[in-house]
């Protein structure tokens, strides 16, 4: 107990001293940051350049046991460079040294070995020290930006010229490889992945170290299946398949449970499939959205033991929200954070606050409306859709004093007419004909 308390105190003190030095793109193990923030920050920049008929490319870098490769002396040297004094460095050195571990298999034990590299497994302080160790990599890669969460590091570049984008990736890859080498990390260049977005006449190859990476049409990044057209069809199909399998397994026993128990069971095993990083894939196609609605319809029928009502009737009868509507609410929460400087600063590049300082008028805008050129990327960006929907919020909701109050109220809010492309009716050969009536969103 004493050791755990000491670790927490040490972590808080180091955190206070180091926060201003950490890159805004370092999203792992930081309060208010998440994998979702890391991914949408990258993909929104992809959409912006691809909306301008440009190109975006990313190299997903595979590190071997990154947490176990941290050199203690180098970590202390970095802390010294950030301004930590000798007494603080001695405390951290004492925390890291004279630690031993062994392996247990059944009733057999290995010999004890002293830990001369890495941070203690499962410790409170370890993730923060890892962030500090990794931080300067994100400042070194000037030609590219970095999408990072913990030991998952992806460098990406955007440019209107495909050759220039490729050169940026190769230069930054060389810098990253050299950084990994001098910082005692091992990069598996054979396991690195390349994905390139934008209209091309032929596949792209990028040189990373001694390997030539061939571009792939889709990659897995932080648990998300991302394709080069940002459609997310494969990822959503996987989510729907998992949700359907859970529904199939628990179907038989539901009749024995009360409504409250059914809610807990279904939300834990089914609805949870759609809760991880929803802002990444919420801008999917209409077909994928209908798949989500179909599994949600099954979910509601089983939850309320109602096989006669339609999906729309179930939503109205029990005052439920569609998955898409819940995602919109989550998007509004992130925009509220930006408006009130409560979220990670990397979101400021997505939702740009208006700098209007005149008198308060009925049509004052909180965010700049982006200029878009294409339906495929510009209209489907979080920046565009978020800006439109934010302006439809009631003023009394947007002006809530605390984030907690805003969360409570936004989770009750429904639009009469949803303006996003998922909620518009399309007619073959004609195009958009009218808005649909939410909450159907089909």
């Amino acid at each position: 107990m004493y050791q755990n308390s000491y670790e927490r105190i040490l972590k808080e003190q180091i955190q206070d001293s180091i926060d201003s030095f950490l890159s805004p793109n370092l999203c792992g193990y930081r309060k208010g940051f998440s994998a979702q923030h890391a991914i949408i920050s990258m993909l929104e920049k992809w959409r912006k350049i691809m909306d301008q008929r440009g190109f975006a490319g990313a190299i997903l870098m595979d590190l071997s046991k990154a947490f176990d490769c941290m050199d203690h002396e180098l970590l202390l040297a970095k802390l010294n460079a950030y301004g930590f004094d000798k007494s603080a460095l001695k405390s951290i050195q004492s925390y890291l040294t004279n630690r031993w571990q062994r392996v247990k298999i059944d009733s057999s034990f290995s010999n004890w070995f002293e830990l001369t590299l890495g941070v203690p497994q499962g410790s409170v302080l370890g993730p923060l020290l890892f962030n500090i160790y990794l931080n300067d990599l994100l400042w070194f890669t000037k030609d590219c930006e970095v999408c990072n969460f913990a030991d998952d590091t992806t460098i990406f570049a955007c440019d209107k010229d495909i050759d220039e984008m490729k050169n940026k990736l190769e230069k930054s890859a060389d810098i990253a490889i050299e950084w990994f080498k001098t910082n005692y990390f091992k990069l598996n260049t054979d396991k690195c992945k390349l994905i390139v977005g934008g209209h091309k006449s032929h596949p792209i190859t990028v040189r990373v170290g001694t390997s030539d990476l061939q571009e792939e049409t889709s990659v897995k990044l932080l648990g998300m299946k991302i394709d080069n057209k940002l459609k997310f069809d494969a990822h959503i199909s996987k989510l729907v398949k998992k949700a359907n399998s859970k529904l199939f397994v628990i179907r038989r026993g539901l009749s024995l449970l009360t409504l409250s128990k059914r809610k807990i069971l279904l939300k834990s095993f089914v609805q949870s499939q759609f809760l991880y990083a929803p802002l990444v894939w919420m801008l999917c196609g209409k077909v994928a959205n209908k798949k989500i609605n179909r599994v949600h319809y099954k979910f509601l029928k089983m939850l309320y033991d109602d096989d006669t009502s339609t999906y729309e009737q179930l939503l109205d009868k029990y005052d439920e929200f569609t998955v898409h509507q819940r995602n919109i609410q989550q998007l509004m929460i992130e925009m509220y954070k930006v408006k009130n400087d409560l979220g990670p600063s990397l979101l400021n590049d997505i939702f740009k606050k208006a700098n209007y300082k005149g008198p308060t008028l009925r049509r004052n805008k909180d965010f700049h409306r982006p200029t878009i050129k294409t339906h495929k990327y510009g209209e489907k960006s979080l920046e565009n859709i978020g800006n439109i929907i934010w302006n439809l919020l009631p003023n009394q909701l947007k002006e809530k004093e605390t984030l907690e109050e805003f969360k409570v109220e936004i989770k009750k809010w429904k639009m009469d007419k949803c303006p996003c492309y998922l909620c518009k009716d399309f007619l073959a050969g004609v195009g958009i004909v009218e808005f649909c009536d939410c909450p159907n969103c089909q």
Side-chain angles (χ1 to χ4, degrees), residues 392-434:
L392 297 177
L393 290 179
N395 285 332
Q396 63 268 26
L397 180 54
K398 291 190 284 188
E399 299 303 323
K400 289 294 179 183
E401 292 187 1
T402 67
L403 178 60
E404 289 70 26
E405 290 177 338
F406 182 82
K407 285 181 178 180
V408 170
E409 294 303 318
I410 195 65
K411 290 177 181 179
K412 304 175 185 176
W413 179 71
K414 288 185 181 181
M415 288 176 288
D416 293 330
K417 298 287 186 180
C418 179
C420 84
Y421 70 95
L422 284 177
C423 296
K424 295 177 181 178
D425 286 337
F426 288 82
L427 191 62
V430 177
I432 300 171
V433 291
E434 62 179 349

Side-chain angles (χ1 to χ4, degrees), residues 172-219:
S172 294
D174 289 341
I175 291 172
I177 289 171
E178 182 61 27
W179 187 94
F180 290 135
K181 182 179 179 181
T182 56
N183 285 267
Y184 307 102
F185 281 160
K186 182 181 178 183
L187 176 67
N188 298 317
T189 54
D190 294 338
K191 293 184 178 180
C192 292
K193 304 290 185 182
L194 170 68
I195 184 170
V196 177
H199 181 70
K200 310 175 295 297
S201 58
H202 57 84
I204 302 301
T205 302
V206 171
R207 188 75 170 174
V208 178
T210 58
S211 303
D212 289 321
L213 292 186
Q214 296 284 342
E215 69 163 295
E216 301 182 26
T217 56
S218 66
V219 294

Side-chain angles (χ1 to χ4, degrees), residues 254-317:
L254 281 182
S255 60
L256 304 175
L257 302 176
T258 62
L259 177 60
S260 60
K261 296 289 177 51
R262 289 202 298 270
K263 278 186 178 181
I264 294 172
L265 188 64
L266 285 168
K267 288 185 177 182
S268 299
F269 288 95
V270 181
Q271 199 173 49
S272 62
Q273 303 299 328
F274 302 100
L275 295 182
Y276 174 68
L279 299 190
V280 177
W281 51 262
M282 70 171 282
L283 302 170
C284 59
K286 292 176 74 69
V287 173
N289 189 58
K290 287 181 179 179
K291 289 182 179 180
I292 296 173
N293 285 345
R294 282 196 291 269
V295 75
H296 189 219
Y297 181 32
K298 296 178 187 176
F299 170 91
L300 293 176
K301 287 197 296 183
M302 294 173 63
L303 176 59
Y304 296 109
D305 194 21
D306 185 345
D307 289 327
T308 59
S309 300
T310 66
Y311 182 45
E312 293 77 16
Q313 289 170 343
L314 285 170
L315 292 169
D316 290 335
K317 187 187 298 186

Side-chain angles (χ1 to χ4, degrees), residues 85-132:
D85 60 27
K86 289 184 178 180
S87 61
L89 295 176
K90 285 182 178 179
S91 295
I92 298 170
Q93 184 180 36
S94 175
Y95 170 81
L96 293 171
T97 55
N98 198 28
R99 289 183 177 270
W100 299 73
Q101 72 176 17
R102 63 178 178 175
V103 177
K104 176 185 177 183
I105 301 177
D106 295 328
S107 59
S108 302
F109 292 87
S110 70
N111 295 326
W112 286 99
F113 291 94
E114 184 177 7
L115 294 176
T116 57
L117 296 172
V119 292
Q121 297 291 325
S123 64
V124 173
L125 190 55
L128 174 59
L129 296 178
F130 180 81
N131 274 351
I132 296 170

